[in-house]
Amino acid sequence: SDVCSSDLVSSFLRAESFLMERNPRSWNLDEIEIIETATLDSFVRDNSIYPNILKIDTQGFDLEVLKGAMEVLERNVIQIVQVECMFARNYENQPYFWDIAIFMSNLGYHFHSFTRLVETGRGNLYFGDATFISANAWEKLGMR
């Protein structure tokens, strides 16, 4: 995991070099830490905990977290998923909103809404939180 000067941008992914040049106070790489991780699927199996809601904000690593929750997502255990999505370049090899939306759609989840959208200093979309709802919850809400 890359630990940057600002905790708000530290990630498992490396920041794009132009960001480090543009704003070294936030994006300067201070250190690299080795961090042990577990998937949500393994956590659910090991602890017999079945969450209804999943909130992910992992600074560009969000699609990898979703991939680690494939079993619970395929079984529609989680009814609501809120995930931070990128619209502009931020991290090397990051997924964008459309990558996450396709992934979730392929698992039967419906895009519902954005709850937060942030723009860059130049006015284009930067990142935001997207909410996806399981097919079961979608139907219970009367959505078609």
Side-chain angles (χ1 to χ4, degrees), residues 13-44:
L13 303 176
R14 183 148 314 222
E16 291 281 0
S17 59
F18 75 91
L19 291 171
M20 288 183 254
E21 295 163 9
R22 198 177 286 165
N23 187 355
R25 294 184 88 189
S26 294
W27 291 96
N28 185 48
L29 181 61
D30 290 338
E31 62 184 288
I32 296 175
E33 291 183 9
I34 304 298
I35 297 174
E36 186 177 335
T37 62
T39 66
L40 184 60
D41 285 336
S42 66
F43 181 82
V44 166

Side-chain angles (χ1 to χ4, degrees), residues 2-132:
D2 287 358
V3 180
C4 295
S5 299
S6 171
D7 290 342
L8 299 174
V9 299
S10 294
S11 176
F12 285 99
L13 303 176
R14 183 148 314 222
E16 291 281 0
S17 59
F18 75 91
L19 291 171
M20 288 183 254
E21 295 163 9
R22 198 177 286 165
N23 187 355
R25 294 184 88 189
S26 294
W27 291 96
N28 185 48
L29 181 61
D30 290 338
E31 62 184 288
I32 296 175
E33 291 183 9
I34 304 298
I35 297 174
E36 186 177 335
T37 62
T39 66
L40 184 60
D41 285 336
S42 66
F43 181 82
V44 166
R45 272 193 307 274
D46 294 347
N47 297 287
S48 298
I49 295 173
Y50 301 95
N52 290 322
I53 299 171
L54 176 61
K55 167 69 170 115
I56 305 170
D57 184 343
T58 55
Q59 301 310 113
F61 201 67
D62 310 87
L63 185 56
E64 294 304 313
V65 173
L66 289 168
K67 288 177 182 177
M70 286 285 294
E71 291 174 28
V72 294
L73 291 171
E74 286 176 334
R75 293 189 341 237
N76 276 288
V77 170
I78 300 171
Q79 301 300 304
I80 300 170
V81 177
Q82 187 179 66
V83 58
E84 184 178 61
C85 299
M86 303 291 179
F87 296 96
R89 284 179 37 210
N90 219 12
Y91 301 99
E92 293 177 4
N93 302 312
Q94 75 180 32
Y96 291 91
F97 164 72
W98 42 89
D99 301 313
I100 291 172
I102 290 168
F103 179 85
M104 294 301 289
S105 179
N106 287 338
L107 292 172
Y109 284 77
H110 299 273
F111 171 72
H112 180 268
S113 60
F114 290 112
T115 54
R116 173 181 65 132
L117 291 173
V118 176
E119 295 179 351
T120 68
R122 295 187 171 122
N124 62 303
L125 280 178
Y126 190 24
F127 64 90
D129 294 327
T131 302
F132 298 89

Side-chain angles (χ1 to χ4, degrees), residues 126-144:
Y126 190 24
F127 64 90
D129 294 327
T131 302
F132 298 89
I133 299 179
S134 72
N136 297 338
W138 191 261
E139 195 170 300
K140 286 179 184 176
L141 290 171
M143 310 289 260
R144 301 273 184 248

